[in-house]
Amino acid sequence: MDVRSLFAAQKYAASMPAMEPKPEIVPQVEKQFADFANEFSNTLKQAEGAANSAMVGSADPHALVEALAQSELAVETVVAVRDKVVEAYQEILRMPV
């Protein structure tokens, strides 16, 4: 066996633990994404409720405008995050193997 290939195999074996996710970090990230998704869903439900109330005439127009602005901001944020994830995925696909 060549010394360079032995050295490369040792470096590869040493780098394997660095590529594995840390078990204490993964649940935190999952919880943050779940919290974000729940908050997004609640924002959209509030906006929908305000819109329904406005249609029957029992809501303040200011509350409707505020709810719609919040839902628009939430949707724009989710779209921006999605775009960043897709961009990162495409960057990974372009990496040479």
Side-chain angles (χ1 to χ4, degrees):
M1 182 180 258
D2 188 349
V3 172
R4 288 181 289 181
S5 62
L6 180 62
F7 183 67
Q10 288 173 345
K11 287 294 186 182
Y12 178 76
S15 68
M16 286 304 291
M19 291 186 271
E20 296 174 0
K22 295 182 180 176
E24 66 272 3
I25 293 177
V26 173
Q28 292 174 355
V29 172
E30 289 175 357
K31 184 180 182 310
Q32 288 174 345
F33 277 118
D35 291 344
F36 179 72
N38 287 334
E39 184 179 332
F40 175 71
S41 176
N42 290 338
T43 301
L44 292 182
K45 286 179 185 176
Q46 289 174 355
E48 185 177 343
N52 287 339
S53 297
M55 283 186 213
V56 295
S58 64
D60 179 31
H62 178 70
L64 174 64
V65 170
E66 184 179 345
L68 291 176
Q70 287 178 349
S71 66
E72 182 181 4
L73 181 63
V75 169
E76 288 175 359
T77 303
V78 168
V79 169
V81 169
R82 184 216 47 199
D83 290 345
K84 288 292 184 180
V85 168
V86 169
E87 183 181 324
Y89 179 73
Q90 289 174 343
E91 189 68 29
I92 291 170
L93 289 178
R94 284 192 288 261
M95 286 183 179
V97 177

